[in-house]
Amino acid sequence: MSRDIFLQDDKPQKRVLSVLVPLGLVLVAVIGGMIAFYQNFVIDVPGKHVAILIKKTGVDVENGDEVAPTSEHKGIQKELLREGRYIFQYTTYGWDWKVIPQFEIESNQLGVRIRLHGDDLPYGEFLARKENQKGIVPGVLRPGRYAINPYLERVELHEPQIIEAGFKGVVTNLAGEIPTTSDHFAEDPEGGLLHKLIVKDGFRGVQSTTLDPKRYFFNPYEKRISKVDCRSQRFNLAVEEDMGFPSKDGFWVSLDGIIEFRVMPEKAAQVFVTYNEDNNGEKIDDEIINKVILPNARSFCRLEGSNKLGREFIQGGTRTQFQEKFQEAMKLACEPLGIEIIQALITEIKPPETIAEPVRDREIAKQELLQYEQQTLQQQSEQKLAKETELIKQREALVKAEQDVVKTVTEAERAREVATTKANQDLAVAQLKLDAAKDEAEAIHSRGQAAADVVGFQNQAEAAGWKRAVEAFGGDGNQYSQYVLFEKLSSAYRSLMINTADSPIMKVFEEFGSVKPTSPGSPGSPPVAKALQTDEPPKSASTDGGDN
């Protein structure tokens, strides 16, 4: 029973294996086929790389050909494959290929191409100016990456030419046309040719145009750059040997000096081609000193110094003249040769000791005499200066005193004018006030007079009225007074209540009744008087005032 169970369990495993094994074989076959396909039918060129093609079939190349002239020939092809993937274009049956990095030139380098295939150059030529010529190719490759077939070309790396500040670059054309006529040579600005040493630009030889400070990418097989130092330089005349000359009287006079010079930038090419030596390379400083500076300095010192006595070189005046003439002569001699003399100084002159000491003592005595004379003149000048100073101080004091007097007088006059002006102003104000007071008094007097006149006129009018009223009573004032009293009383009393005939108030009326008019019954007699003449007074009377 158990045996049957094991047999049943083993069958599924066999079935799984029978399926997986064929699938694995198929997968291996597919992967192998893909690899074989990729290797035989796909060319993969990664970035910064190129692929060199080598053809296996086609026309055979000749013995003199380094590469296949055309794509129909066998061998190394001229064309390169750039970055990318090429499928079914090239097969391993007819092609072979090699993937290499592109040629890279750094930023501080330049490349010179040398073609390895083509025709040989003709006699006298060393640059492959045509595409079908082998040799050095004109021009340069600047920094960057280039697809170069190493079977076709080789690249040499060189450094660019750097001309520093203060230098000039003299260009020598190594591959130009060879000058043959005078038209090919540069002309001197002063006229004439430069001794056929400098050619015009483009011809073989030293070029007339120089280069300014900069970095240049030149093919070293085409042009050579020589740097000429145009900065100022100093040279000591007696640094290597005694610099001297015989004087007029036969004494040997030694001297030392410093000459500061420089190459004129506009004549750098002329100076370089004239004084440069192969053993010095690009440096021409020593050649300038040995061929220009020293010969001219010695020539002047011997010619000019032989005209002077030995003792004259101890005196300051002679030495000064010798110094000035020396600098002028060096400038005149060196500047036409392209050397600028900035300064030429005679720092020391050594006459013979046999004449130097007595002459020196005499010169010292002369200098002391001059010193004493100068001191005397200085003292006289100081005395005169002190006198002038005191006179100036006196003048300044006098001017100051005069200024003080003028200032005091001016201030007094100004104060007087101010006081006078103020007094006049006060007087004018007082006069105005007086005139105003007078006008006010006159106005008051006029107003008082007018008021008095008004009162007088009123009194006269009242008096005239009273006079006429008295005249109405026959000129009796008493009657008029009674009339006035009765008139006043009559308007105030309405009735009188009298108890007895001997009442005090009746006494008053009786007094008025005893008065007789001057002309009874006259029209001018008042009616009250008529009433008072009756014997029987009224019995009762009443007033608005009550018990009056």
Side-chain angles (χ1 to χ4, degrees):
M1 189 69 179
S2 59
R3 183 178 179 183
D4 295 338
I5 294 174
F6 287 126
L7 291 175
Q8 292 177 358
D9 293 338
D10 191 33
K11 291 180 180 180
Q13 294 180 359
K14 290 182 178 180
R15 285 196 295 268
V16 170
L17 291 174
S18 62
V19 174
L20 291 178
V21 170
L23 288 177
L25 294 175
V26 171
L27 182 60
V28 170
V30 170
I31 294 174
M34 292 177 64
I35 293 175
F37 173 80
Y38 189 83
Q39 291 179 348
N40 291 276
F41 298 98
V42 178
I43 301 177
D44 189 6
V45 182
K48 301 181 182 180
H49 287 69
V50 292
I52 302 173
L53 293 175
I54 303 173
K55 193 172 184 181
K56 298 179 180 180
T57 61
V59 182
D60 294 333
V61 297
E62 298 179 0
N63 293 331
D65 295 333
E66 291 83 0
V67 295
T70 63
S71 60
E72 302 296 331
H73 289 75
K74 298 179 182 178
I76 301 173
Q77 302 296 309
K78 295 181 179 180
E79 292 75 13
L80 297 174
L81 297 182
R82 301 299 182 97
E83 297 94 331
R85 184 174 290 112
Y86 302 86
I87 303 174
F88 289 117
Q89 297 183 17
Y90 304 95
T91 63
T92 56
Y93 172 76
W95 297 88
D96 192 7
W97 56 84
K98 183 179 180 181
V99 178
I100 61 173
Q102 294 182 3
F103 193 86
E104 186 171 357
I105 300 176
E106 303 293 338
S107 59
N108 58 345
Q109 294 177 333
L110 60 87
V112 177
R113 298 164 54 200
I114 301 176
R115 190 176 295 123
L116 304 177
H117 69 95
D119 300 333
D120 294 332
L121 296 175
Y123 178 79
E125 293 289 338
F126 61 92
L127 291 181
R129 302 183 185 275
K130 299 179 181 180
E131 292 294 333
N132 60 345
Q133 292 178 342
K134 68 171 62 174
I136 300 172
V137 179
V140 295
L141 298 178
R142 288 178 172 268
R145 288 196 308 272
Y146 298 90
I148 302 295
N149 191 335
Y151 296 100
L152 301 180
E153 293 181 348
R154 179 167 56 89
V155 178
E156 287 186 357
L157 295 178
H158 298 270
E159 294 183 357
Q161 294 288 337
I162 300 176
I163 301 177
E164 295 82 1
F167 288 78
K168 277 289 187 178
V170 178
V171 181
T172 302
N173 192 335
L174 305 175
E177 181 183 354
I178 298 175
T180 56
T181 64
S182 59
D183 296 338
H184 299 165
F185 295 94
E187 296 181 358
D188 192 352
E190 298 178 357
L193 300 178
L194 295 175
H195 309 292
K196 295 186 178 181
L197 298 177
I198 300 177
V199 298
K200 294 182 179 179
D201 295 345
F203 292 93
R204 186 175 301 185
V206 179
Q207 307 291 292
S208 59
T209 304
T210 56
L211 302 178
D212 295 327
K214 189 180 176 182
R215 186 172 67 166
Y216 296 91
F217 292 86
F218 287 141
N219 190 330
Y221 297 102
E222 288 185 279
K223 295 180 180 180
R224 182 175 68 240
I225 309 300
S226 302
K227 293 184 288 186
V228 177
D229 191 355
C230 296
R231 298 173 297 180
S232 62
Q233 302 179 54
R234 287 189 175 186
F235 171 70
N236 194 337
L237 293 175
V239 66
E240 294 181 356
E241 60 182 22
D242 184 21
M243 182 72 180
F245 55 89
S247 63
K248 186 176 182 180
D249 49 4
F251 292 99
W252 182 260
V253 179
S254 300
L255 59 82
D256 191 7
I258 295 176
I259 297 178
E260 185 176 0
F261 68 95
R262 76 182 185 112
V263 177
M264 295 180 179
E266 63 274 12
K267 294 185 178 181
Q270 178 183 350
V271 174
F272 176 79
V273 75
T274 304
Y275 300 107
N276 181 46
E277 297 288 346
D278 294 336
N279 55 353
N280 290 334
E282 296 181 351
K283 295 187 63 177
I284 59 174
D285 304 339
D286 295 338
E287 299 299 331
I288 293 175
I289 292 173
N290 296 327
K291 296 179 180 180
V292 180
I293 302 298
L294 281 177
N296 284 284
R298 289 195 182 100
S299 175
F300 172 81
C301 292
R302 290 175 180 176
L303 292 176
E304 186 68 22
S306 60
N307 296 326
K308 304 291 182 181
L309 297 175
R311 57 184 177 84
E312 293 181 0
F313 289 98
I314 304 175
Q315 300 174 357
T318 303
R319 298 177 64 170
T320 303
Q321 295 177 1
F322 188 81
Q323 158 68 39
E324 294 175 354
K325 292 182 179 180
F326 177 70
Q327 181 166 346
E328 186 66 24
M330 291 298 295
K331 286 185 176 181
L332 293 176
C334 296
E335 286 184 358
L337 302 177
I339 308 300
E340 179 184 0
I341 302 298
I342 300 173
Q343 195 173 24
L345 297 177
I346 301 298
T347 57
E348 185 179 7
I349 297 179
K350 301 177 182 179
E353 289 296 329
T354 55
I355 62 173
E357 186 174 357
V359 174
R360 190 182 299 113
D361 294 340
R362 185 177 65 181
E363 290 297 325
I364 292 174
K366 288 182 180 181
Q367 294 298 327
E368 290 178 352
L369 178 60
L370 292 175
Q371 181 180 359
Y372 294 149
E373 291 176 354
Q374 291 295 330
Q375 291 177 357
T376 302
L377 293 175
Q378 182 178 1
Q379 292 176 358
Q380 292 176 357
S381 300
E382 291 177 354
Q383 182 180 3
K384 185 178 180 180
L385 178 61
K387 183 178 179 180
E388 294 293 335
T389 303
E390 293 298 327
L391 291 175
I392 292 173
K393 290 182 180 178
Q394 291 179 3
R395 293 192 188 97
E396 290 179 353
L398 180 60
V399 172
K400 188 175 184 303
E402 292 177 354
Q403 291 177 352
D404 294 339
V405 171
V406 172
K407 181 179 179 182
T408 304
V409 172
T410 303
E411 290 179 353
E413 290 179 355
R414 187 183 297 111
R416 184 186 65 183
E417 292 177 359
V418 171
T420 302
T421 303
K422 190 173 184 305
N424 292 332
Q425 291 178 354
D426 295 341
L427 178 61
V429 171
Q431 185 65 37
L432 292 175
K433 288 183 179 180
L434 178 60
D435 295 341
K438 288 181 179 181
D439 294 340
E440 183 67 23
E442 290 179 359
I444 294 172
H445 181 269
S446 298
R447 289 197 297 272
Q449 186 65 39
D453 293 341
V454 170
V455 173
F457 291 149
Q458 290 178 353
N459 292 336
Q460 290 179 3
E462 290 179 359
W466 291 345
K467 182 177 180 182
R468 295 290 303 271
V470 171
E471 290 178 354
F473 287 93
D476 189 354
N478 290 329
Q479 290 184 3
Y480 179 72
S481 300
Q482 289 179 3
Y483 170 73
V484 173
L485 178 61
F486 291 156
E487 187 178 13
K488 298 295 183 181
L489 290 176
S490 62
S491 61
Y493 287 93
R494 297 292 181 265
S495 64
L496 295 175
M497 297 180 65
I498 301 173
N499 297 328
T500 58
D502 56 354
S503 175
I505 193 170
M506 293 302 298
K507 297 288 186 185
V508 176
F509 290 104
E510 288 179 356
E511 292 178 358
F512 290 108
S514 60
V515 180
K516 301 296 185 179
T518 56
S519 56
S522 62
S525 61
V528 178
K530 296 178 179 181
L532 292 177
Q533 292 178 359
T534 61
D535 294 337
E536 187 177 358
K539 294 183 178 181
S540 63
S542 63
T543 64
D544 294 335
D547 294 336
N548 291 327

